[in-house]
Amino acid sequence: VAVTRRRLARLAGALRASPDALAMAEQRAEHAGLMDDGPVYSITDVSLLMATCCTGSRKLHLNDEEVLLSTTTCCSSSNKRMPYGELGYVQYQNNCICCHAFLSNLSPSTDKGKMPFSPGCGCQGDLVKEIVKELQTRMRNRGDTGNIHRADDGAKILNDIAQHAADSSAKIDALLAKLGVQAPPVAQAPVQDVMADIQYDTAVKEYDVTNACLQFCCCGSQKLTLEPEEAVVDVTCCGGCSQTTSRRPYGRLLSVSLDQSCGCCIVVSSSLGALTKGFGCDREYMQPIHDELKVRMKARGDTGNILRQEETLRLAKMLQDHLRDRNAALKVLVVEA
């Protein structure tokens, strides 16, 4: 149960504690995940209430850096923490039109896989959509996507510094030449785009990946959308009665492979699942999907992050050498002046 400031104040007053007691209690509570840094959602479902004789509750605390799942019953309580970057994905599910749920790595594991969260009787669609939106936003900002954006910004700043260093170097050389002094040797200022090797087309692309079984047996459809930062799979069944939306950053695809079975069945496999179109015989259609996913996963996944780090460190080292040599030139300029 979240500990509020008012309760902490009453507790500190009751114990006649020092003025610092409230601040210390707040720090302990915040460290324990009991203070609410963000919205708190009640996601207690009917099955939990029935299993605990209406004494159980389940809440989702969205703090600044991590999500906290707290479950309380009449005889136990548990807290499960997870940084937003470890959520992996956030999947929205809508079954039989009125049953709404969401799924992520935070969901409890069972023998049949992850168990989705479905608040109340499952009909609270607006609440589920709000939670999914909040989790996806925080996952982008504090997860893999946010880290990539910060790395990109750091590389751009280094490039700007390198450009300014080159401009200052030219001015120092001009002053030394005017004084008739030979400039000391200097390393070449590293002005380059460190992200050139991992650029890709960020245009949104959509592919129909409805397989024959889904189309003819379930009257459904499946669409793959490649957004600039994430891959989205939308599945619709029974003419729209059931809908599932799965969204994953490219760095969380784990692996992408083009598999062939039974001689002619072509499938693109990843953490999004097995994707194919129709009866699976259209290699020319599936090959570009595979290639596009591979390119985006390399650019926005572990490989791209390693390249960013290596290029940024190399650029910083070259810039350091250049500034050291320029410092020697400035000393000569001061002496001659």
Side-chain angles (χ1 to χ4, degrees), residues 184-249:
V186 60
Q188 182 67 29
V191 181
Q192 64 181 58
D193 183 6
V194 299
M195 311 306 296
D197 294 335
I198 47 177
Q199 296 290 340
Y200 65 95
D201 183 10
T202 59
V204 176
K205 300 182 179 180
E206 295 184 353
Y207 299 93
D208 179 13
V209 287
T210 306
N211 58 65
C213 181
L214 178 63
Q215 181 178 1
F216 297 111
C217 298
C218 302
C219 298
S221 64
Q222 185 170 243
K223 181 178 69 174
L224 172 66
T225 303
L226 302 185
E227 297 181 352
E229 303 289 350
E230 298 172 317
V232 185
V233 175
D234 293 300
V235 182
T236 302
C237 297
C238 303
C241 293
S242 298
Q243 180 182 354
T244 300
T245 300
S246 180
R247 180 182 293 269
R248 281 177 171 79

Side-chain angles (χ1 to χ4, degrees), residues 259-266 279-281:
D259 303 326
Q260 180 174 342
S261 60
C262 301
C264 64
C265 189
I266 307 299
F279 292 95
C281 301

Side-chain angles (χ1 to χ4, degrees), residues 206-212 222-224 226 233 256-261 264-270 272-295:
E206 295 184 353
Y207 299 93
D208 179 13
V209 287
T210 306
N211 58 65
Q222 185 170 243
K223 181 178 69 174
L224 172 66
L226 302 185
V233 175
V256 179
S257 61
L258 188 67
D259 303 326
Q260 180 174 342
S261 60
C264 64
C265 189
I266 307 299
V267 177
V268 175
S269 301
S270 69
L272 291 170
L275 302 177
T276 190
K277 182 181 180 181
F279 292 95
C281 301
D282 195 345
R283 173 181 285 272
E284 293 183 358
Y285 186 82
M286 299 305 299
Q287 184 70 52
I289 298 177
H290 166 267
D291 296 342
E292 190 68 32
L293 286 174
K294 291 283 285 187
V295 169

Side-chain angles (χ1 to χ4, degrees), residues 51-94:
T52 60
C53 298
C54 298
T55 62
S57 67
R58 181 177 288 126
K59 292 184 178 181
L60 203 62
H61 304 252
L62 304 188
N63 299 324
D64 289 341
E65 302 294 338
E66 59 187 5
V67 57
L68 171 65
L69 176 67
S70 61
T71 304
T72 304
T73 66
C74 58
C75 56
S76 66
S77 63
S78 64
N79 292 325
K80 182 178 180 180
R81 295 173 172 276
M82 185 171 291
Y84 293 111
E86 299 299 323
L87 287 178
Y89 65 98
V90 179
Q91 184 181 89
Y92 167 75
Q93 298 178 347
N94 179 13

Side-chain angles (χ1 to χ4, degrees), residues 17-329:
S18 64
D20 295 334
L22 178 58
M24 294 176 63
E26 286 179 347
Q27 290 178 0
R28 294 192 188 98
E30 192 169 1
H31 180 71
L34 299 177
M35 296 297 292
D36 294 341
D37 295 330
V40 180
Y41 298 99
S42 175
I43 56 172
T44 307
D45 55 80
V46 174
S47 60
L48 177 62
L49 291 175
M50 294 177 62
T52 60
C53 298
C54 298
T55 62
S57 67
R58 181 177 288 126
K59 292 184 178 181
L60 203 62
H61 304 252
L62 304 188
N63 299 324
D64 289 341
E65 302 294 338
E66 59 187 5
V67 57
L68 171 65
L69 176 67
S70 61
T71 304
T72 304
T73 66
C74 58
C75 56
S76 66
S77 63
S78 64
N79 292 325
K80 182 178 180 180
R81 295 173 172 276
M82 185 171 291
Y84 293 111
E86 299 299 323
L87 287 178
Y89 65 98
V90 179
Q91 184 181 89
Y92 167 75
Q93 298 178 347
N94 179 13
N95 300 315
C96 301
I97 301 179
C98 63
C99 294
H100 304 268
F102 67 95
L103 190 69
S104 73
N105 285 341
L106 190 66
S107 304
S109 298
T110 64
D111 295 338
K112 297 181 179 180
K114 294 286 186 180
M115 182 179 72
F117 296 114
S118 183
C121 298
C123 300
Q124 301 183 38
D126 292 338
L127 174 62
V128 171
K129 291 177 181 178
E130 181 180 347
I131 294 174
V132 169
K133 183 179 179 180
E134 278 285 343
L135 288 175
Q136 289 175 347
T137 299
R138 292 168 182 262
M139 189 173 70
R140 292 190 195 101
N141 293 335
R142 310 306 295 176
D144 294 345
T145 302
N147 292 335
I148 291 172
H149 287 169
R150 285 185 282 275
D152 290 346
D153 292 341
K156 291 177 182 177
I157 291 173
L158 279 178
N159 271 311
D160 290 340
I161 295 174
Q163 183 62 57
H164 290 310
D167 295 340
S168 299
S169 179
K171 295 175 182 178
I172 294 173
D173 290 340
L175 288 173
L176 290 174
K178 188 173 182 179
L179 294 173
V181 179
Q182 180 66 34
V186 60
Q188 182 67 29
V191 181
Q192 64 181 58
D193 183 6
V194 299
M195 311 306 296
D197 294 335
I198 47 177
Q199 296 290 340
Y200 65 95
D201 183 10
T202 59
V204 176
K205 300 182 179 180
E206 295 184 353
Y207 299 93
D208 179 13
V209 287
T210 306
N211 58 65
C213 181
L214 178 63
Q215 181 178 1
F216 297 111
C217 298
C218 302
C219 298
S221 64
Q222 185 170 243
K223 181 178 69 174
L224 172 66
T225 303
L226 302 185
E227 297 181 352
E229 303 289 350
E230 298 172 317
V232 185
V233 175
D234 293 300
V235 182
T236 302
C237 297
C238 303
C241 293
S242 298
Q243 180 182 354
T244 300
T245 300
S246 180
R247 180 182 293 269
R248 281 177 171 79
Y250 293 112
R252 295 287 175 173
L253 293 181
L254 302 182
S255 64
V256 179
S257 61
L258 188 67
D259 303 326
Q260 180 174 342
S261 60
C262 301
C264 64
C265 189
I266 307 299
V267 177
V268 175
S269 301
S270 69
S271 61
L272 291 170
L275 302 177
T276 190
K277 182 181 180 181
F279 292 95
C281 301
D282 195 345
R283 173 181 285 272
E284 293 183 358
Y285 186 82
M286 299 305 299
Q287 184 70 52
I289 298 177
H290 166 267
D291 296 342
E292 190 68 32
L293 286 174
K294 291 283 285 187
V295 169
R296 294 180 182 229
M297 186 179 71
K298 176 183 177 181
R300 310 310 276 181
D302 292 340
T303 302
N305 290 334
I306 291 173
L307 290 175
R308 286 181 184 86
Q309 294 171 6
E310 291 177 345
E311 288 295 320
T312 300
L313 290 174
R314 184 178 67 84
L315 181 59
K317 180 62 170 61
M318 292 178 63
L319 185 58
Q320 182 184 42
D321 295 340
H322 175 80
L323 293 177
R324 184 190 63 239
D325 295 338
R326 286 290 83 184
N327 187 50

